[in-house]
Amino acid sequence: MKTLTGAEIVIECLKEQEVDTVFGYPGGTILNIYDALYKHQNEITHILTSHEQGASHAADGYARATGKVGVCLATSGPGATNLVTGIATANLDSIPMVAITCNVAVNLLGKDSFQEIDILGVTMPITKYNFIVKDVTKLAGVLRRAFTIAKSGRPGPVLVDITKDVTAAECEYEYKKPEEVKRESSDITEEDLEKALGMIRSSKKPFIFVGGGAVAAEASDELHAFAHKIQAPVADSLMGKGAFDGTDELYTGMIGMHGTKTSNFGVAECDLLIVVGARFSDRVVGDASRFASHAKILQLDVDPAEINKNIKTDASVIGDVKVILRRLNARLDPINHDQWIAHVERLKDMYPLRYNKEVLTGPYIMEKIYEVTKGEAIITTDVGQHQMWAAQYYKYKRPRQLLTSGGLGTMGYGLGAAIGAKMGCRDKLVINIGGDGCFRMNMNEIATATRYNIPIIQIVFNNHVLGMVRQWQTLFYGMRYSQTNLNDQVDFVKVAEGLGAKAYRITTKEEVEPTLLEAISLNVPVVIDCQIGTDDKVFPMVPAGKPIEEAFDEIDLRIEQL
């Protein structure tokens, strides 16, 4: 037992939780914590980002890449509100994160004091839980509880706001071992398991749809065993990438708006859809009334709130999906579905992903990145066409390889996330895929990478437009390109060099491989500006609100125009 200030208690609690890296930006109300952090800089690495939003995305990327809780720090007022987009991003994708902010002293709360903001009120809808600490004796307990909440059950972000006087006040502190977070299994009932087993055994055409919950639960081994035991094809959501090996013969690709035709047609034709840790996003299901209309639906999920929320299920098992799959696997004998698998293989042959191989394109670059990295890199992305190409053309063999904003669709997410991922996985190659529109939003974080020599590679798919929005304008808005033209005077190579990075520009297919190899060999922050076609599109595509089996590609469009 020793007497410490609130600021010192914050640092000791971070050390209790084995936090080795935090991301943040100092300011007036949080100065006491930064002063304490200075004294412990050999134990906790602090990365000063260029903007607080970059800190929140870095903490998020660290969490996604490592499976540990990510931590970010910010001062009151605008410092705290600058974290909001990153907190909302983590919330919609169920990422464990603790955001620590400081506020004005207790006697100044509610008086419109300088840089005062009710950050609890602001973040209540976008956090799993949030706290304000006005009593130093409660500080350690709140911080410990925040970490437990962030990583238990369905993970999510937790915000802890601490008044400045609490960081200066003193009280007794005693080390406490972190609470063990057990896998949720109390809601897994024998009745639910038996019903699930009966549906699986009676199915002739089962199909597995896996989401981010399988990644969070670290259930990839159990999922692989399950899919092969019941001989069922597997599709994933954007968030589920890597939960099932993308090189496995049972894998059919992504499902939904930009999913493969094989996955979308497979879901439309199956008689049992087994949903593992996925929440039926509108980008996945399209027309909900016609989704998997020939199938019974069995949903496995840790969060009971997801059952029957977007799609009505025929049965469900509530609990940690790793535990559920283990129990199902233990009671299942191998099942043969050769005829169904052969049909799905024919769909793969009939409907491969296609792109123009004559010129430099996003898909070609992604295939080259996969080839050069041997499928072992961590890929982060921003949001747009490049994000979909990264999902379609890089084969993710393991969980936590694709880090992307799935639920919120946050432009500007990827570069901060790449910094966080690299800090958490220093032995891994980390590549951020962005568009020119997204890179404009976060390119200040290149200065963060160069300040600490964090060797990430930033790929910019530069088509001089807001590509995904332009694609919609072309297909559905009569080619009225309102405010999507970015063909201006910005030179990303000069910007990157000005921020201290090595930079390249490539305009031909032949330049891609040697540039990538050189960038990797340098082991420094690198930006590669890739000049691709303005009107390149992501296919297949399902129009918003349409059934996913109405996916179309460029060939379908040409036939329709004849």
Side-chain angles (χ1 to χ4, degrees):
M1 189 87 67
K2 50 187 175 181
T3 301
L4 299 177
T5 66
E8 291 167 335
I9 289 170
V10 171
I11 303 304
E12 291 302 323
C13 286
L14 293 178
K15 288 161 59 180
E16 280 180 7
Q17 300 293 329
E18 298 182 350
V19 173
D20 54 22
T21 306
V22 297
F23 307 88
Y25 209 98
T29 61
I30 202 170
L31 270 177
N32 290 331
I33 290 178
Y34 270 84
D35 190 53
L37 191 61
Y38 180 86
K39 300 168 188 174
H40 294 269
Q41 58 188 290
N42 293 330
E43 298 165 280
I44 298 175
T45 298
H46 179 278
I47 299 298
L48 175 66
T49 53
S50 298
H51 190 284
E52 290 93 351
Q53 185 174 329
S56 60
H57 293 326
D60 174 303
Y62 177 96
R64 294 191 203 222
T66 64
K68 299 191 288 187
V69 178
V71 179
C72 56
L73 310 175
T75 195
S76 62
T81 58
N82 281 344
L83 296 177
V84 167
T85 299
I87 293 170
T89 300
N91 188 57
L92 273 175
D93 288 346
S94 302
I95 305 304
M97 185 167 84
V98 171
I100 298 173
T101 57
C102 285
N103 216 320
V104 298
V106 170
N107 67 325
L108 294 176
L109 288 173
K111 297 181 179 179
D112 293 333
S113 304
F114 178 67
Q115 291 193 333
E116 181 195 356
I117 194 80
D118 177 13
I119 196 63
L120 255 70
V122 171
T123 61
M124 192 171 291
I126 57 167
T127 50
K128 189 175 178 184
Y129 208 93
N130 63 15
F131 302 87
I132 184 167
V133 183
K134 303 177 186 177
D135 179 349
V136 70
T137 65
K138 297 178 180 177
L139 178 58
V142 167
L143 286 167
R144 290 163 182 154
R145 192 175 168 206
F147 276 85
T148 300
I149 292 171
K151 59 190 176 183
S152 62
R154 180 178 183 168
V158 177
L159 179 129
V160 180
D161 193 35
I162 310 166
T163 60
K164 184 171 184 179
D165 50 335
V166 166
T167 66
E170 294 185 343
C171 78
E172 290 186 336
Y173 160 83
E174 185 174 9
Y175 170 83
K176 194 171 183 179
K177 187 177 179 181
E179 180 182 342
E180 183 184 355
V181 176
K182 296 180 180 178
R183 295 189 176 275
E184 296 282 349
S185 60
S186 58
D187 291 329
I188 303 174
T189 68
E190 185 64 23
E191 181 183 356
D192 288 343
L193 286 173
E194 278 299 323
K195 188 170 184 180
L197 288 163
M199 294 171 72
I200 293 165
R201 288 171 181 143
S202 62
S203 170
K204 303 299 182 189
K205 298 188 293 183
F207 202 100
I208 298 171
F209 162 38
V210 59
V215 175
E218 300 176 335
S220 56
D221 289 344
E222 290 77 8
L223 178 63
H224 178 271
F226 178 68
H228 282 270
K229 182 165 273 193
I230 70 170
Q231 204 179 12
V234 182
D236 53 23
S237 68
L238 187 63
M239 292 302 302
K241 287 286 172 189
F244 190 79
D245 186 347
T247 64
D248 193 287
E249 65 270 18
L250 290 177
Y251 181 66
T252 62
M254 191 164 65
I255 183 178
M257 180 174 283
H258 293 294
T260 64
K261 286 189 175 184
T262 301
S263 291
N264 288 357
F265 292 168
V267 168
E269 295 176 21
C270 72
D271 65 6
L272 174 64
L273 182 63
I274 304 166
V275 184
V276 183
R279 60 184 179 84
F280 295 111
S281 160
D282 59 297
R283 288 298 173 102
V284 164
V285 304
D287 182 351
S289 67
R290 294 168 64 182
F291 180 74
S293 55
H294 300 295
K296 291 184 177 179
I297 296 178
L298 169 62
Q299 187 172 2
L300 317 179
D301 205 285
V302 74
D303 187 355
E306 289 301 332
I307 309 302
N308 296 320
K309 185 176 83 174
N310 295 328
I311 295 291
K312 191 175 187 319
T313 61
D314 296 279
S316 61
V317 185
I318 306 299
D320 185 279
V321 295
K322 186 183 186 78
V323 177
I324 295 170
L325 290 172
R326 276 180 181 170
R327 295 189 186 180
L328 292 174
N329 286 340
R331 294 161 71 167
L332 281 166
D333 293 321
I335 305 173
N336 185 292
H337 292 120
D338 283 346
Q339 190 173 348
W340 170 234
I341 294 298
H343 173 69
V344 173
E345 285 300 317
R346 285 193 293 273
L347 291 177
K348 288 183 186 178
D349 291 338
M350 290 169 62
Y351 303 113
L353 292 171
R354 302 183 181 94
Y355 66 91
N356 182 357
K357 298 185 185 293
E358 302 301 316
V359 295
L360 181 65
T361 64
Y364 176 82
I365 296 167
M366 287 312 310
E367 287 189 332
K368 273 295 173 186
I369 293 172
Y370 177 74
E371 180 184 316
V372 165
T373 63
K374 299 179 174 60
E376 293 298 325
I378 293 175
I379 304 294
T380 67
T381 83
D382 284 298
V383 172
Q385 289 179 315
H386 60 275
Q387 178 189 32
M388 295 298 103
W389 289 325
Q392 291 173 330
Y393 291 95
Y394 197 101
K395 297 180 179 69
Y396 300 95
K397 298 184 283 189
R398 55 183 172 79
R400 308 191 183 283
Q401 262 195 286
L402 176 64
L403 317 182
T404 190
S405 173
L408 196 63
T410 305
M411 293 177 70
Y413 166 81
L415 186 49
I419 289 170
K422 186 64 178 180
M423 291 304 299
C425 303
R426 302 192 189 207
D427 60 330
K428 297 290 185 185
L429 177 63
V430 179
I431 301 175
N432 182 47
I433 311 297
D436 48 327
C438 289
F439 188 53
R440 291 161 185 264
M441 293 189 176
N442 67 6
M443 59 188 176
N444 53 345
E445 297 303 340
I446 291 293
T448 306
T450 58
R451 178 186 296 118
Y452 299 100
N453 193 29
I454 302 171
I456 56 172
I457 297 174
Q458 166 74 54
I459 307 289
V460 183
F461 286 175
N462 192 351
N463 55 9
H464 303 281
V465 292
L466 295 177
M468 187 61 88
V469 186
R470 182 184 175 92
Q471 177 167 330
W472 279 62
Q473 289 172 332
T474 300
L475 296 173
F476 309 118
Y477 288 84
M479 300 186 182
R480 295 182 295 277
Y481 299 122
S482 177
Q483 304 303 316
T484 48
N485 186 352
L486 303 178
N487 193 17
D488 51 29
Q489 302 304 309
V490 179
D491 185 327
F492 290 140
V493 170
K494 289 182 179 178
V495 169
E497 289 174 342
L499 293 170
K502 180 71 175 174
Y504 302 87
R505 179 175 291 112
I506 60 177
T507 59
T508 66
K509 291 170 60 181
E510 292 72 25
E511 294 172 293
V512 176
E513 184 172 337
T515 304
L516 284 171
L517 289 170
E518 184 172 334
I520 293 167
S521 71
L522 292 174
N523 201 39
V524 299
V526 175
V527 175
I528 304 176
D529 178 11
C530 306
Q531 301 282 320
I532 64 171
T534 294
D535 282 305
D536 287 356
K537 294 180 177 61
V538 178
F539 288 118
M541 182 177 187
V542 179
K546 295 292 185 181
I548 60 172
E549 58 265 35
E550 291 188 16
F552 66 88
D553 57 22
E554 210 154 15
I555 293 174
D556 297 319
L557 282 178
R558 287 179 195 148
I559 292 171
E560 189 179 293
Q561 291 165 0
L562 292 177

